[in-house]
Amino acid sequence: YEPLYEQMMSRPSDSGSISEEDVAEIVRHIAGQGYTVTAFDHNMENHQPFDDFLMKVQEGSDASSYYYQVGNNGGFSRMDYQHEDGRLYITVSSLVWDEEGNPIVKYFTNLHIVEKWSYTEKGYLIYSTTSNPNSYALLRVKPLEENERNLCKAYIAPIGYQGNNLFLVDWDQDDLSPVAFNDLYDTLFALDTGENTKYDMSTGSIPAAEFEPLYEKYFGVTPAFLRENAVYYADDQSYFWNYLTCSKHYVWGHAPSPEVVDSWENEDGTITMVVDALDDYKGNDRAFTHEVTVREREDGSFMYVSNRVWPEDKPRVPSYTPRSEPII
């Protein structure tokens, strides 16, 4: 795919990375040659040979397989798996492009010995290695419906579980009180503009004129509601906001990732999504499940309507401390 890569790198870029669309094009190109290939937040193309390999390993048979994983730098890693005498081994090699556009092997690792592993009903290979037994890799092998993947990108992943509690508590349009609205400002700003907020950790508040329109757009609430249900400073007409740091106000210390696994349109035109929280810290492809409902508007915008955690999963949902409260 060298001609593709050259064309992609000829476009101006501030990050030095290629776009998500370019990554998808490389994946399709490699898949078109019959190889098993994937990328971050992409389905594994030609997954069947790797699925067959894992089924053989589950039966205890000696077998081997591999796949390619395309990176956002335009290179790829080749992941080689070998199951022999009851042990599973992984070898990783990486290809990158040098400044002259030549492909070079950046590194080639020694064998990783798999400590624990499982192949789940959802189609995830979950494993840890002897060199890092307390950290898990989650690899989706069986494809996820593209509609569900796109819904997650649009409505769920931009919010996630880090630094806010929107998807950790039950709420709807009749009762929004459980939501920590102040903690959503930076996340909503990035969702709305595609950029990070201009305010930094030295800022303790956000002017109401910048704060309130975001919540009216994404939750349909009025300024009067926000001033009653969020931390509001009437003296200077601003809202409390605390910069999210890695040392406090986080979920689990290592937040899970959302994955939409089902969806449907309701009679009133809203869309409900079933979302699994993927926890690679504990090696779990369904730490808990919740349902999120959104309403799309004719102008292309949308608003969040409700969130409901499955009752049987509530004991597994992490507790959350709002940024306005001290962590003890």
Side-chain angles (χ1 to χ4, degrees), residues 17 78 131 165 227 239 270:
S17 301
R78 172 169 161 146
S131 60
N165 73 341
R227 295 178 186 191
Y239 288 83
T270 59

Side-chain angles (χ1 to χ4, degrees), residues 7 28 83 94 132 135 137 145 205 259 265 290 297 319:
Q7 182 181 9
R28 289 192 297 268
H83 186 254
S94 175
N132 197 4
S135 178
E145 291 291 335
S205 63
E259 181 180 70
E265 185 173 337
H290 57 108
R297 300 187 181 97
S319 60

Side-chain angles (χ1 to χ4, degrees), residues 49-220:
F50 197 68
D51 175 79
D52 293 342
F53 159 74
L54 292 172
M55 298 303 290
K56 291 177 182 177
V57 173
Q58 283 185 321
E59 296 169 355
S61 302
D62 290 352
S64 63
S65 188
Y66 67 92
Y67 63 87
Y68 293 102
Q69 183 160 333
V70 178
N72 62 4
N73 62 355
F76 62 78
S77 295
R78 172 169 161 146
M79 313 290 292
D80 281 270
Y81 291 72
Q82 178 77 32
H83 186 254
E84 185 175 346
D85 297 329
R87 299 301 300 265
L88 183 61
Y89 307 92
I90 305 174
T91 303
V92 183
S93 50
S94 175
L95 179 139
V96 297
W97 302 88
D98 65 17
E99 294 182 356
E100 286 73 39
N102 300 310
I104 58 172
V105 175
K106 185 176 182 180
Y107 63 81
F108 187 90
T109 68
N110 295 323
L111 289 176
H112 293 292
I113 304 174
V114 174
E115 173 82 4
K116 303 174 184 176
W117 73 278
S118 62
Y119 189 35
T120 70
E121 291 185 7
K122 283 179 63 176
Y124 271 92
L125 171 62
I126 303 175
Y127 67 87
S128 64
T129 63
T130 55
S131 60
N132 197 4
N134 297 319
S135 178
Y136 290 87
L138 272 67
L139 172 70
R140 177 172 271 284
V141 178
K142 295 178 181 178
L144 182 67
E145 291 291 335
E146 283 299 325
N147 180 61
E148 273 60 52
R149 192 178 290 278
N150 291 333
L151 287 172
C152 191
K153 289 179 181 178
Y155 305 123
I156 310 300
I159 303 294
Y161 310 106
Q162 186 82 46
N164 72 86
N165 73 341
L166 187 66
F167 298 144
L168 303 178
V169 293
D170 290 355
W171 58 270
D172 57 31
Q173 288 295 306
D174 293 329
D175 184 11
L176 286 156
S177 60
V179 179
F181 283 108
N182 296 83
D183 297 357
L184 274 168
Y185 173 75
D186 44 350
T187 302
L188 287 180
F189 185 90
L191 171 64
D192 193 62
T193 66
E195 300 176 357
N196 294 326
T197 174
K198 63 183 179 182
Y199 297 103
D200 58 26
M201 64 181 64
S202 64
T203 301
S205 63
I206 305 295
E210 297 182 28
F211 190 94
E212 293 170 348
L214 281 175
Y215 295 86
E216 182 178 4
K217 178 177 181 179
Y218 288 102
F219 293 93

